[in-house]
Amino acid sequence: MISKLILANLPTKIEKLERLSKEWDVNLYVKRDDQTGSEFSGNKIRKLEYVLKEALERGCDTVITCGGIQSNHCRATVAAATKLGMNAVALLRINEEPKVEGNYFLDKLFGADIRFCTPQEYREIRSEIMKKIAQEYSLKGHKAYIIPEGASFGIGTLGYYSCLTEIAAQEKEMGISFDTVIVAVGSGGTYAGLYLANKFFRLNKRVIGMAVCDNQNYFRDVIVDISREALPYIGEKIDVLREEIEINDKYVGIGYALSRPEELAFITEIARKEALILDPVYTGKAMYGLYNEIKASNISRSSNILFIHTGGLFGLFPKQEQFEF
Ligand SMILES: *Cc1c(COP(=O)(O)O)cnc(C)c1O
């Protein structure tokens, strides 16, 4: 496999959630990928370690990427590019004039070149817009590298491919085997990496992706594509099978980055029981889904469950007024 930059604090720790384990009658552990860094916090930095290595090797001095206004991916990319002395451009999707808060505030703090587009432009022509920005930079003598949404493309997939090998090493150290791994799914690259490593190393884990938007059909297609794109980078032959990709789309709720009161109440409950901070866009929905699936006996009691905390802390603050205490 190809090499990477060292940006994240790795390995991240795995800890048991004692009170929730007792209450839910499972052994629930959490992989603290919310602690990969402060400026870099969350899952995207694992992908960026590979992606930005490729960008530098290609002689690029500018990175262009895209996401929602509160994108954790854009914030991590802007921070990492800045750290590496590169220019960072973030194309952000907005409905209205955004408040300067959360991840968007940090994008500005790091001095990113911020561009806006409408949801429709984002859906239909974001690649074209990013290519235009790359041309604009090229005219000024720069060389830009475009990272697609969430860094969910071939090389970005290596981040969670190697994360699962990190987890396997920790299992040996801890003398435990996780039978089920739970992760939030937003653009699919995190799941794709876990899926490929699980299969290649025959770890036989049940990897469940909790969708925070779209549905199972959509994500199976996306994850098959990303996984196949990743194979040349991994350098192994792995059969990618659509039906092996387990996506649970029952907990999307009212849509991407929109919260229902019960989801926010659940985040509050987890904070009060375990001092674990979940975010409203990804990990809050994913763990709310896990809780409900355990209750419905769709995940067996007494199993060893590993919840990957993929970060998102800065996305919590723009929602603080929606919480009722
Ligand atoms: C991006 C993100 C995810 C989802 O990862 P994908 O690879 O996009 O599916 C999950 N949690 C957080 C906090 C994220 O920022």
Side-chain angles (χ1 to χ4, degrees):
M1 207 168 92
I2 61 164
S3 63
K4 64 181 183 80
L5 302 174
I6 293 176
L7 296 168
N9 285 325
L10 301 181
T12 55
K13 67 182 173 184
I14 292 178
E15 54 191 25
K16 189 166 185 192
L17 299 179
E18 295 287 355
R19 276 157 301 282
L20 292 183
S21 293
K22 262 203 194 110
E23 239 185 79
W24 299 356
D25 195 16
V26 291
N27 298 309
L28 177 59
Y29 292 80
V30 60
K31 173 82 169 153
R32 298 300 302 269
D33 275 15
D34 54 325
Q35 297 181 345
T36 48
S38 47
E39 73 287 28
F40 299 151
S41 82
N43 61 339
K44 301 306 180 314
I45 195 67
R46 285 192 189 263
K47 307 179 186 193
L48 291 167
E49 286 189 327
Y50 290 94
V51 172
L52 293 175
K53 173 104 197 277
E54 181 173 84
L56 290 173
E57 278 171 359
R58 290 189 186 170
C60 296
D61 64 356
T62 301
V63 179
I64 304 171
T65 196
C66 62
I69 183 70
Q70 283 299 331
S71 166
N72 300 302
H73 163 68
C74 287
R75 180 259 311 148
T77 302
V78 165
T82 302
K83 177 88 183 163
L84 296 168
M86 304 170 90
N87 305 305
V89 186
L91 176 65
L92 301 177
R93 179 183 66 226
I94 55 165
N95 285 308
E96 56 202 31
E97 186 63 32
K99 270 200 201 152
V100 182
E101 58 187 359
N103 284 299
Y104 172 50
F105 167 77
L106 293 176
D107 294 341
K108 287 177 91 87
L109 188 69
F110 294 130
D113 175 356
I114 292 166
R115 312 289 177 97
F116 294 117
C117 67
T118 64
Q120 189 188 358
E121 288 169 332
Y122 190 88
R123 231 178 8 256
E124 293 170 4
I125 54 165
R126 64 174 182 268
S127 316
E128 287 74 12
I129 299 175
M130 290 195 287
K131 277 182 202 150
K132 266 207 189 127
I133 299 171
Q135 280 164 8
E136 184 191 316
Y137 268 82
S138 151
L139 288 174
K140 290 187 281 187
H142 297 290
K143 189 170 177 197
Y145 183 101
I146 296 175
I147 303 176
E149 182 182 66
S152 287
F153 65 139
I155 190 169
T157 305
L158 298 185
Y160 275 82
Y161 184 89
S162 55
C163 178
L164 196 57
T165 66
E166 182 180 304
I167 290 168
Q170 289 173 307
E171 283 181 311
K172 281 211 182 103
E173 258 170 48
M174 298 168 74
I176 188 173
S177 171
F178 299 111
D179 33 56
T180 307
V181 176
I182 309 280
V183 72
V185 173
S187 60
T190 301
Y191 188 97
L194 296 171
Y195 167 76
L196 288 170
N198 189 42
K199 190 147 181 186
F200 182 69
F201 297 106
R202 296 199 170 81
L203 300 176
N204 292 317
K205 299 186 189 310
R206 180 179 176 195
V207 183
I208 305 175
M210 291 288 182
V212 302
C213 54
D214 298 294
N215 59 32
Q216 159 152 288
N217 247 333
Y218 169 83
F219 276 122
R220 280 182 155 172
D221 289 344
V222 167
I223 290 166
V224 163
D225 288 350
I226 301 170
S227 298
R228 291 197 175 131
E229 229 182 271
L231 293 178
Y233 291 100
I234 295 170
E236 305 288 352
K237 203 185 150 327
I238 305 170
D239 272 333
V240 176
L241 300 177
R242 194 176 189 281
E243 58 278 11
E244 289 174 346
I245 294 165
E246 184 177 353
I247 300 293
N248 183 323
D249 56 14
K250 286 192 287 188
Y251 304 95
V252 172
I254 54 175
Y256 178 75
L258 300 172
S259 300
R260 295 180 290 169
E262 57 265 44
E263 293 164 9
L264 300 182
F266 182 79
I267 290 172
T268 306
E269 186 189 326
I270 301 303
R272 290 178 181 188
K273 288 198 171 124
E274 295 283 358
L276 185 73
I277 309 174
L278 300 173
D279 80 293
V281 183
Y282 296 96
T283 55
K285 286 184 181 181
M287 197 179 276
Y288 185 63
L290 170 63
Y291 165 70
N292 281 287
E293 291 300 290
I294 292 170
K295 235 177 33 179
S297 301
N298 295 331
I299 293 171
S300 41
R301 306 270 166 176
S302 79
S303 53
N304 294 328
I305 302 169
L306 183 66
F307 180 87
I308 302 185
H309 192 323
T310 43
L313 177 63
F314 301 117
L316 181 63
F317 298 103
K319 294 259 184 194
Q320 64 190 24
E321 271 146 43
Q322 291 179 40
F323 279 77
E324 284 174 25
F325 300 127

